[in-house]
Amino acid sequence: MNPLKLSPPQWRVLRYLAIHSASATRVGFLATKLRDLTGASPEDLGGLADLGHVTGRLHGSVEAPARSIVITARAHPKLRIHLTQAGKNAAAPIEAAFRALRHLRTHGPLPVATLQDDAGVGDDTLTELEALGFIEITPICPECHEPAQHDEPSSWTPAWGRPPSWSHLDGEPLCPVVGVNGYEPATPTPKDRQIALTSFGRRYAEPYTRQDQS
Ligand SMILES: [Zn+2]
């Protein structure tokens, strides 16, 4: 399963465990503490155990950590959660995705190149985030950076020649640039695209506060 499809609390659990991976592997963290910090439910933790991302054991027990304990002892106050290697692997793409989403939450919609440079996010991550509905990528006018549509301008007159294939959303031609025949409407290149969070993506970028649960 693609780790980006996990729930927002599950992202937070894996990110927290990966940031503290030495302790998370060796001694684990109390499930009660993890739930407090991340808003994860016992079912969220059970789901991560099902996928092999975490294991559990009871504090003080000499048994090796096991996935099943996360489910069978879900309400036990001494349950400790350990990060597995698979969980560590799953946390890496989540961290990259989170960096992009958090950057967009802070700065608002950004041109693709700006987000890539400032947040260190690759094409692959952006393609995946778009496919999964976390972000929307839309073409923009290269000059004014307002959204552009792949439609002929409605205000175009045949006397002006062949209509350009792009326009602003209000139907006006894109802003003028100097071309071979003088001024002509700009044409967006693949770089002239803007990325914005969707409301779904925003849920993953918001910091967790305990008030979320009340
Ligand atoms: Zn424009």
Side-chain angles (χ1 to χ4, degrees), residues 99 103 110-123 126 191 195:
R99 212 162 52 232
H103 201 76
L110 289 173
V112 172
T114 306
L115 179 68
Q116 290 187 322
D117 291 349
D118 293 359
V121 184
D123 278 332
L126 293 184
K191 283 278 167 211
I195 301 185

Side-chain angles (χ1 to χ4, degrees), residues 27-188:
V27 294
F29 286 94
L30 275 176
T32 51
K33 178 187 174 185
L34 268 182
R35 297 205 302 260
D36 245 23
L37 287 170
T38 64
S41 65
E43 289 68 32
D44 287 324
L45 295 178
L48 291 174
D50 271 341
L51 292 166
H53 295 333
V54 300
T55 54
R57 72 184 167 91
L58 296 185
H59 187 82
S61 154
V62 292
E63 307 269 320
R67 291 177 358 177
S68 57
I69 292 178
V70 180
I71 295 149
T72 55
R74 61 174 63 192
H76 202 292
K78 288 188 172 179
L79 174 64
R80 296 187 80 89
I81 302 294
H82 289 242
L83 182 65
T84 64
Q85 185 57 48
K88 235 173 171 170
N89 297 346
I94 287 177
E95 190 59 40
F98 180 77
R99 212 162 52 232
L101 300 182
R102 175 52 70 85
H103 201 76
L104 290 169
R105 178 180 174 273
T106 306
H107 298 279
L110 289 173
V112 172
T114 306
L115 179 68
Q116 290 187 322
D117 291 349
D118 293 359
V121 184
D123 278 332
D124 293 355
T125 299
L126 293 184
T127 306
E128 206 175 1
L129 286 175
E130 186 184 27
L132 293 172
F134 291 97
I135 55 172
E136 254 170 5
I137 303 183
T138 47
I140 52 175
C141 170
E143 295 301 302
C144 67
H145 296 169
E146 291 295 318
Q149 56 189 352
H150 202 187
D151 263 329
E152 295 178 1
S154 52
S155 62
W156 197 259
T157 304
W160 298 340
R162 213 162 57 82
S165 44
W166 290 86
S167 57
H168 290 123
L169 296 188
D170 61 5
E172 292 294 318
L174 296 190
C175 296
V177 291
V178 179
V180 282
N181 301 314
Y183 282 108
E184 59 186 47
T187 305

